[in-house]
Amino acid sequence: MTIEPDTKDWTWVLERPCPECGFDAPDLDRARIPQAIRDNATLWEVVLGTDDAAVRPAANVWSPLEYACHVRDVNELFAERVRLMVEQDDPQFPSWDQDVTAEEDDYGSQDPAVVGPQVTEAAEAVAATYERLDPDAWQRPGTRSNGDRFTVDTLARYHLHDLVHHAHDVSHITKRVTVASYDESAPAYVEQQEPVPASVRDVMGGFVALLSSGARVLEVGSGSGRDALELEARGVEVRRTDITPAFVRMLREAGHEADVLDPLTDDLAAPDGEPYDGVWAAASLLHVRREDLPDVMDNLASVTRSGGPLHLAVKEGDGARFSTHGRVAGPRHFTFWREPGLRALLDEAGWDVRDVRRSTGQRDETWLDVLAVRR
């Protein structure tokens, strides 16, 4: 089946956040655009390495390979358009039809092993193009063949939305790859787990202070079970859960009750139906896609009593990327957050933020440790 051409006008994303992928062009600091483009390329490297990269999820939906080819060509196209805007006064861009290009270049038959490096190369080239711009160049104008007018600034934001949105289109693979990486490395992860760091113990103290003795806490992303043991030592009852089957299996082998649960799609209610007294989600929900975290926080709020505390730890930054580091050998997907957006999201989901602390991780990354309570 032929793909239905996309004839929609997407320029509205320059005025308000995209409800599908969560990209917020108006609020984006343009200094972060080059790195966000590079980060986006890491996703395609991973997606193109899967066995079903060339398989369409439906007859009328592009395969991940076809999306990757499109992203490669978009990066090349926008690099050329920025060059024209810098070198010429108000140029009109040549017409480009993405659907015709996909058909003529036979995206679906290209080699994923070749396309992956091409995506990375094109992303680096256009990111460097944005980085080299003089400050006054960002306001230089250009006009699309249909009459839409842009400045370099608005073109860059429009460009980045296209990349982020197509990452959303293949996100069914990003979760699968991340879970598989944890599943394969679970024994090494548990064996090399370090003691609870002082920054986490400090945050945990504030969290437990809002609970009564014997309170029941839902832990999202129990992993090795380290934090659950520390919470129980402080008089808290913990329900251990994780999306990774291997972690749950190892927790059970260690004598703990544990459940495989996806906080986005599964029923999080306690077995007895009573609300939890709090939720502990340390370094787990940073793997959730930006557009999915509001639903996750809604789900958690629905099973937590009024006044119950929430601990949420994510990495500070912009965009999302795949990374391979530490105790997990395979690639994992990370979503980065800035404090204002995270506060707004939690507020909308029914959580009142009490405190946001910053701490430095092992690789000098900045963590946002959030303490909130259920309204």
Side-chain angles (χ1 to χ4, degrees):
M1 180 182 294
T2 302
I3 300 293
E4 181 179 351
D6 184 358
T7 59
K8 291 179 288 186
D9 179 6
W10 286 94
T11 55
W12 58 265
V13 300
L14 296 172
E15 302 172 358
R16 59 188 186 276
C18 177
E20 293 182 40
C21 70
F23 182 76
D24 189 350
D27 196 45
L28 177 68
D29 180 352
R30 74 183 182 206
R32 301 170 187 157
I33 291 175
Q35 187 57 48
I37 292 172
R38 293 184 175 103
D39 288 343
N40 179 268
T42 67
L43 177 146
W44 299 103
E45 295 172 12
V46 172
V47 166
L48 290 171
T50 60
D51 293 338
D52 54 352
V55 178
R56 287 185 173 183
N60 61 339
V61 177
W62 272 353
S63 68
L65 170 60
E66 290 169 296
Y67 275 120
C69 292
H70 172 73
V71 165
R72 173 200 61 202
D73 291 353
V74 163
N75 282 333
E76 293 175 350
L77 176 76
F78 277 76
E80 174 62 17
R81 288 182 172 179
V82 171
R83 184 188 67 78
L84 290 174
M85 295 169 82
V86 171
E87 296 178 355
Q88 301 178 17
D89 292 330
D90 197 9
Q92 178 167 320
F93 309 134
S95 178
W96 185 70
D97 189 312
Q98 65 181 37
D99 299 292
V100 170
T101 301
E103 185 173 351
E104 290 181 345
D105 291 353
D106 196 8
Y107 280 175
S109 296
Q110 296 192 26
D111 184 350
V114 174
V115 174
Q118 290 175 340
V119 172
T120 301
E121 182 180 355
E124 176 57 37
V126 72
T129 297
Y130 286 126
E131 285 178 331
R132 289 193 297 265
L133 291 173
D134 293 330
D136 57 355
W138 287 92
Q139 298 309 314
R140 291 185 64 82
T143 304
R144 201 159 55 174
S145 57
N146 66 353
D148 290 335
R149 290 182 59 77
F150 295 88
T151 63
V152 173
D153 180 274
T154 58
L155 188 79
R157 296 170 192 271
Y158 186 83
H159 172 200
L160 185 55
H161 168 261
D162 195 271
L163 306 185
V164 171
H165 200 95
H166 292 315
H168 163 78
D169 289 326
V170 299
S171 57
H172 60 288
I173 292 181
T174 64
K175 177 190 286 190
R176 186 184 76 202
V177 169
T178 300
V179 172
S181 293
Y182 273 116
D183 212 50
E184 184 175 347
S185 294
Y189 187 96
V190 172
E191 181 179 348
Q192 300 172 36
Q193 179 72 76
E194 297 181 355
V196 180
S199 59
V200 176
R201 289 200 304 271
D202 188 32
V203 171
M204 192 177 289
F207 176 83
V208 173
L210 297 174
L211 298 167
S212 59
S213 179
R216 299 191 311 167
V217 168
L218 171 65
E219 184 178 30
V220 179
S222 294
S224 68
R226 180 196 67 179
D227 288 6
L229 291 174
E230 181 71 19
L231 285 165
E232 289 171 339
R234 299 182 186 223
V236 175
E237 179 184 331
V238 181
R239 183 188 182 191
R240 293 165 170 82
T241 73
D242 205 287
I243 195 174
T244 302
F247 281 140
V248 171
R249 183 175 63 254
M250 295 180 74
L251 288 169
R252 290 173 178 171
E253 290 171 352
H256 304 288
E257 292 186 5
D259 298 295
V260 177
L261 281 181
D262 182 338
L264 176 64
T265 60
D266 291 338
D267 182 1
L268 304 179
D272 62 4
E274 293 297 317
Y276 298 104
D277 297 306
V279 176
W280 184 263
S284 58
L285 299 183
L286 77 173
H287 298 301
V288 175
R289 299 181 306 169
R290 189 176 312 279
E291 62 270 24
D292 287 338
L293 192 59
D295 289 336
V296 169
M297 301 317 302
D298 282 340
N299 293 343
L300 293 173
S302 71
V303 295
T304 306
R305 67 169 176 82
S306 177
L310 161 75
H311 168 60
L312 170 67
V314 296
K315 292 184 179 183
E316 185 175 44
D318 304 284
R321 67 171 290 122
F322 266 95
S323 178
T324 303
H325 63 266
R327 293 160 286 161
V328 179
R332 292 171 290 164
H333 183 260
F334 292 87
T335 301
F336 302 100
W337 290 91
R338 294 288 173 179
E339 182 178 340
L342 193 57
R343 281 181 174 270
L345 183 156
L346 289 168
D347 179 71
E348 181 68 21
W351 300 94
D352 289 329
V353 176
R354 294 285 182 87
D355 187 31
V356 178
R357 300 186 185 185
R358 286 171 171 78
S359 60
T360 302
Q362 295 178 341
R363 282 163 291 279
D364 293 326
E365 73 276 23
T366 300
W367 287 85
L368 297 177
D369 293 302
V370 180
L371 179 65
V373 295
R374 175 74 168 94
R375 282 199 293 272

